[in-house]
Amino acid sequence: MTLLAHPPASGPGATAPGPGAGRQVWRRLRARPSAVLAAAVLALLVLLALAAPLFAHLAGQDPNAYHDELVDSARGGVPIGSFGGISAEHWLGVEPGTGRDLFTRLLYGARVSLLVALCATVVQVLIGVAAGLLAALGNRYVGQLIGRVTDVMIALPMLVLAIALTAVVPPDFPRPLLLIVIIGLLDWGGTARMVRAQTLTLRGLDFVEAARLSGNSTLRIARRELLPSLAAPVITFAAIKVPTNMVVEASLSFLGVGVKPPTPSWGQMLSSAQTWFRADPTYVLLPAGLLFVTVLAFTVLGDGVRTALDPREGSRLRVGTRKGPGA
């Protein structure tokens, strides 16, 4: 008897895992100019962040070097010159009060913000997928226990708990690592609930039943049958979680419990910029603008990936938007 083939990744219209699935997803993604533009913006940002030491060397600047001669002490430390002290040596101006080069600090801040957001997302996905599969495939008591724990994790005020935890940890503990652990451990509930719901739907389909009747263990069914089918919704959910985690990291740094000076981060720069927004608006607009563009690009790319993995999404969004013959 021939067993049924794998179903679509996340439903009847989604792309099934296989050799040609990647090419199909890439072709659909390229058909969306907004997703391509968002991916290009993120690729450029990641490249700049990774090459921050190289750009700092080319600009001849140290992100932590003070330049008192570039700020006007009589005016409280406002940068000398137009637009925050932009010059041939300082391409985006200097930081008020310290004179540190703003271009290099923005690049190094991007490294911290992206590192925390991406690594925290990985932690959330790993915990959420494991908990969701266990809740859906375990016995009734295990499912109920994990379900109650998941409900509690979703209901908890994550930002308040994160502030409390970061405040009690010794100051010499690496702050980026601490933020990754805290954000990852406190915000996996949504992923677990999504995976559990998807798994409950998939386990009743014919290909899973065929694998179970063939004598495969629950672990093997989860690894060989369910995980490939869960790839599409998990990737989509992760793409949406990355910008959320960037905002959380920026919020914690803005409140003074995140990344500590002299290590730069966009949230930390926004925190110090609130006292300079009248005297030097450039210092506020640059980190805020970069954070906005990055979060927007991740959101647009996540929407494009979801539509590429499941073409039905695009069809549903277009329902009712076409004009009829008599319109």
Side-chain angles (χ1 to χ4, degrees):
M1 181 180 66
T2 302
L3 295 181
L4 294 174
H6 281 284
S10 60
T15 301
R23 289 191 295 270
Q24 293 178 21
V25 171
W26 173 240
R27 186 167 58 250
R28 294 169 186 160
L29 199 58
R30 285 188 304 173
R32 296 176 62 88
S34 59
V36 174
L37 178 60
V41 169
L42 292 175
L44 177 62
L45 181 64
V46 171
L47 178 62
L48 290 174
L50 293 176
L54 175 61
F55 281 101
H57 176 73
L58 292 176
Q61 300 295 334
D62 181 348
N64 297 321
Y66 284 57
H67 300 281
D68 295 333
E69 72 279 3
L70 299 178
V71 296
D72 188 353
S73 57
R75 298 174 58 196
V78 176
I80 300 173
S82 303
F83 302 105
I86 292 178
S87 64
E89 293 80 19
H90 303 279
W91 302 342
L92 294 179
V94 296
E95 188 178 59
T98 64
R100 292 182 292 192
D101 183 71
L102 196 53
F103 173 72
T104 55
R105 289 189 64 78
L106 284 171
L107 291 186
Y108 277 92
R111 301 180 97 189
V112 173
S113 297
L114 288 172
L115 175 67
V116 171
L118 291 173
C119 292
T121 301
V122 171
V123 174
Q124 292 167 350
V125 167
L126 291 177
I127 298 176
V129 169
L133 284 173
L134 190 59
L137 300 178
N139 59 44
R140 181 165 61 93
Y141 300 105
V142 172
Q144 289 179 352
L145 175 62
I146 296 179
R148 299 293 80 76
V149 173
T150 301
D151 292 340
V152 170
M153 296 303 298
I154 293 176
L156 287 175
M158 190 194 71
L159 195 60
V160 175
L161 285 177
I163 292 173
L165 291 174
T166 52
V168 300
V169 173
D172 57 344
F173 191 89
R175 285 286 154 162
L177 177 59
L178 177 62
L179 292 177
I180 291 170
V181 172
I182 289 178
I183 297 174
L185 293 181
L186 292 181
D187 197 24
W188 53 265
T191 306
R193 178 174 288 180
M194 182 273 298
V195 170
R196 178 180 179 275
Q198 292 285 335
T199 303
L200 289 175
T201 301
L202 290 170
R203 75 176 187 177
L205 299 182
D206 292 339
F207 78 107
V208 178
E209 291 295 333
R212 183 179 293 108
L213 292 174
S214 299
N216 293 306
S217 64
T218 302
L219 181 60
R220 182 179 177 84
I221 293 174
R223 187 178 72 252
R224 296 288 300 274
E225 311 295 338
L226 295 175
L227 283 179
S229 299
L230 289 170
V234 168
I235 291 173
T236 301
F237 201 81
I240 297 173
K241 290 299 295 181
V242 172
T244 302
N245 291 336
M246 288 194 70
V247 173
V248 172
E249 182 278 325
S251 301
L252 292 174
S253 297
F254 179 83
L255 295 172
V257 294
V259 178
K260 298 294 184 182
T263 304
S265 81
W266 292 347
Q268 178 196 110
M269 296 173 75
L270 286 172
S271 178
S272 60
Q274 61 182 330
T275 59
W276 299 98
F277 70 95
R278 291 185 182 274
D280 184 15
T282 305
Y283 185 46
V284 182
L285 293 177
L286 285 174
L290 281 173
L291 182 61
F292 172 78
V293 169
T294 305
V295 170
L296 179 63
F298 268 115
T299 304
V300 172
L301 181 60
D303 180 72
V305 169
R306 182 190 66 212
T307 305
L309 290 170
D310 188 356
R312 297 173 306 162
E313 292 292 334
S315 300
R316 283 193 288 263
L317 291 175
R318 289 193 295 268
V319 170
T321 60
R322 295 180 179 177
K323 295 183 179 180

